[in-house]
Amino acid sequence: MMARTRERLVVVGNGMAGIRTVEELLKRDPDRYDITVFGAEPHVNYNRIMLSPVLAGEKTFDQIVLNDRSWYERNGITLLTGEKVETIDREARTVTSVGGRTVGYDRLLLATGSDPFIIPVPGHGLPGVVTFRDMFDVEAMLRKAADGGRHAVVIGGGLLGLEAANGLAVNGMKVTVIHLMGTIMERQLDEAAGFLLQRELEDRGIDVMTNADTKAVLGDGHVTGVLLKDGREIPADLVVMAVGIRPSTGLAKAAGLAVERGVVVDDHMATSDPAILAVGECVQHRGATYGLVAPLWEMARVCADQLAGRRDSAYAGSVTSTKLKVTGIDVFSAGDFGGGKDCEDIVFRDAARGVYKRIVLKGDRIAGAVLYGDTKDGAWYFQMLREAENVAPLRETLIFGQGFGGQGFGGQGFGGAAANPKAAVAALSDGAEICGCNGVCKGAITRAIADKGLTTLDDVRSHTKASASCGSCTGLVEQLLELTLGDGYQAAAAAKPLCKCTHHPHDDVRRLIVAGELKSIPAVMQALEWKTANGCHVCRPALNYYLLAAWPGEYRDDYQSRFVNERVHANIQKDGTYSVVPRMWGGLTSAKELRAIADVVDKFAIPTVKVTGGQRIDLFGVKKEDLPAVWRDLNDAGMVSGHAYAKGLRTVKTCVGSEWCRFGTQDSTGMGVKLERMTWGTWTPHKVKLAVSGCPRNCAEATIKDFGVVAVDSGWELYVAGNGGMKVRECDFLTKVETEEQVLEYCGAFLQLYREEARYLDRTAPWVERVGLDYVKRRVVEDGEGRRALFARFQFSQMFSQTDPWEERASRGIDSHEFAPLATVG
């Protein structure tokens, strides 16, 4: 019998995808080919995804080698390391390396992987700028750390960037991560999980800067720092570019193969040349490219089948999952967690353990999953996602994982004690901690209930301090009351929750934000165990306001949590255009301002100009894309935004007062201008309007404003909580003062009390009616020290809010995407 003549297989690429294909092929038909492998690196085949543990010192290179040289020898494979293939001659069926070596093939397998993307900013080629792609990069980073490099900047807060940052920090470098987007790992994690991850990294000493755009890498002969577009500079002895990868397609493209984003392959992993197959990160299959390892294995199996002559094997694409390889941080995500109208979120948060789980359902199937802090069920969710299992029978307990109730997936049910939350609480030992803030265990609470005859939540809080701080254990304490007292426990009527995303009412949320020093929306949602992943149109604007009010100068306004008028700083009209209202202090204007307004009207063909009831001029019919240019022209004439769209100060209406009116007793116009100069730019729970009348004839209608001032012969009468509109409410008399300085102090104190205690979307009228005028008088009139403290806090807050949003957008390009057309046609 004659020996079978072997075909020649050349593999370009000694990485994971190419060699996994060879391994699979050897299992199927070990004698079919004479195999030659070209590798550009000098190393044998190693596990590239384990470079992070090597950088972190948790593994050595030898420990991540997948196949040593003896494996190649045992299988008769010719390995040519350090030889990058430069050309393919498809007609002659040969490849030639940069060293001039030419090898012929019958079948060629391209496994060229991907190339790291380098941001082409000035200085990107300086010594000290590296990528994170192979052992060469790891060795360069380790050398810099060993040579005394102190500062490292990692550009890119994705999977690789964060693993590099952790590894460099472990090696003693001070690391700053710069990320263009608002959330790190935004392609793999939602906002909530991204927040938890960022907090954990910051706890490890890694600085994370989001919404940070790199302008240049600094240095003369070697990198010394990174300059951001907002002007900040970060010192750096080492800069790691980890901003993404691109399929390595140069060789295929030069050979005339079909190439788009990657080397185009069909379901059999064949390129446009049937003799040439491709696998791994270099390919594009059905329009998709992949940068994770699982799809590589699936491609490799199909590719091996084809090389072994199994023609019916086909690759249909991959569903991917992600894990972060940083010791001590458990993160998992899979599928589509973007959600949408036809999707449903199931969310579980355990603030004490730092756990966040989110399952996205589409119909009765899992569409995506994000897990942080407890990822042990990731594989289980991923399996059901891939297999499109109907999870309707598990709907109620799905979020608790495979082990919940001691049963597994498979229709056996998830009952048992753990399925009943009360039974679960009853099963806790007496030593189980219930209130982490105050260190109160279950036994202490139940003994206090029994021994002291406690019957209410407030009783328990008073005697044990359980749930008296952050309040996140309130539900557990109430369950203990119910278990201990049985029918004798009557739960207090619960206040209405802020929205469906939480069981906390507005007042509790405000209190807990301050008590827990919560300074971002994701922090609030995690600490207060929000029931949804990202909140809704009700809670996000409220949280954004509460955080602004609680942490002036620290909290960064969340653009996405504002309604459209506040996002674009103009009022949208029914035809889709906008109205623009420049501020006119106290209703005063000048020839210069009027000329500027007239010029803007002509220049931008603004169809309607109208004087408002608040003594200002409103320009109607401005196109959205024209807004920045309109604002720039108005800014040039000294005008700023009138905030006619804001939950904040709108206007201070005045009459002419004693300067011109024969009945006027005080300079009401001057007083109005001073009030407006003091209060403009402030954010409040709802819109706020002020007015100052020069005499009791009250021409400025000051007694139907949120804060009204009426001049009398002996001083100023102050009124609060009035409004016009559908339900007109006349103001309540607050007090009488003698000086303009007192008017300013009382006004600032009243507004600050309203800012700190009213619920979002409360106007002053319903707020005062709810808390009572006597309460407001006690705080603002009778308590002089308290009033001055309120006024001081108002003034402090104004230090950070009196920035003209029009100028920021017209001249500094902030939120420029909002005003750019979606597309230019023609």
Side-chain angles (χ1 to χ4, degrees), residues 244-258:
I245 57 173
R246 289 176 173 172
S248 181
T249 60
L251 180 64
K253 195 169 186 178
L257 298 176

Side-chain angles (χ1 to χ4, degrees), residues 5 114 125 222-223 248 256 270 286 312 336 352 393 423 511 514 563 580 719 737 739 761 785 819 823:
T5 301
S114 58
H222 193 279
V223 62
S248 181
R286 298 186 185 180
D312 56 346
D336 179 8
R511 177 177 61 82
V514 176
F563 297 116
V580 169
Y719 296 85
V737 298
T739 67
L761 297 184
E785 185 176 348
F819 309 102

